[in-house]
Amino acid sequence: MLETGTTLEVIMDGIAAVLLVLGALMSTVAGIGLFRFPDQLSRMHAGTKPQVLGLLLVLMAMAFAGRAWVWVPVLLLAWVLQMLTAPVSAHLVGRAGYRTKHLQPEYLYVDELAHVVASHDDAGRPAASVPDQRTVPQEDPNDDHGRD
């Protein structure tokens, strides 16, 4: 028969294993989404949303496997920093992709950024006279998007 301390260790190892597998699955889903989704905005969503949850699950698994409270603040700090940096970097990459027209307009349901982009010049200053238009930016026929 197992002792109480040994049973608790087995349960904590089991919880850590389940969390680790779930975290790995979330990260795998994020990686598959990066390959399968058709445009940049969808890929960014796939790369940030499940990845942050996957990291949380892996860090929780590490906390259960470590069995020491000293690791909890370190793991919490790692997760908070991930929560701060992933959405900000995805936002900046998405906005840059939008401004350089590296998106597929047919996948946009509502284009809330068209007015902002249309009302500012390339330096980010408000344009003098720009009509309020909420349309998807049109592809420039002269722009080859870096293709040779």
Side-chain angles (χ1 to χ4, degrees):
M1 181 177 264
L2 294 174
E3 296 178 19
T4 306
T6 307
T7 305
L8 184 61
E9 288 179 7
V10 170
I11 291 172
M12 289 182 76
D13 283 342
I15 291 172
V18 168
L19 290 172
L20 191 61
V21 168
L22 289 175
L25 286 175
M26 291 300 291
S27 297
T28 302
V29 166
I32 291 170
L34 288 173
F35 286 113
R36 298 286 299 170
F37 284 148
D39 66 332
Q40 177 196 11
L41 299 176
S42 299
R43 288 181 185 144
M44 278 187 341
H45 178 76
T48 55
K49 302 296 181 190
Q51 183 62 32
V52 171
L53 179 59
L55 177 68
L56 173 65
L57 293 172
V58 168
L59 292 175
M60 287 175 53
M62 290 175 61
F64 275 102
R67 293 185 185 88
W69 285 102
V70 71
W71 288 107
V72 173
V74 174
L75 299 174
L76 187 63
L77 178 66
W79 187 65
V80 167
L81 289 176
Q82 177 73 21
M83 287 292 295
L84 291 174
T85 58
V88 172
S89 62
H91 174 78
L92 292 175
V93 169
R95 197 165 179 130
Y98 183 92
R99 285 181 175 272
T100 57
K101 297 177 181 63
H102 285 90
L103 66 121
Q104 296 177 357
E106 62 270 10
Y107 290 115
L108 292 178
Y109 180 70
V110 176
D111 188 1
E112 296 173 347
L113 195 56
H115 171 69
V116 176
V117 172
S119 65
H120 290 75
D121 63 7
D122 290 337
R125 296 181 302 265
S129 61
V130 176
D132 184 12
Q133 57 185 23
R134 293 182 180 256
T135 60
V136 177
Q138 300 298 317
E139 290 279 337
D140 183 6
N142 298 326
D143 186 15
D144 63 355
H145 298 295
R147 293 179 224 138
D148 292 324

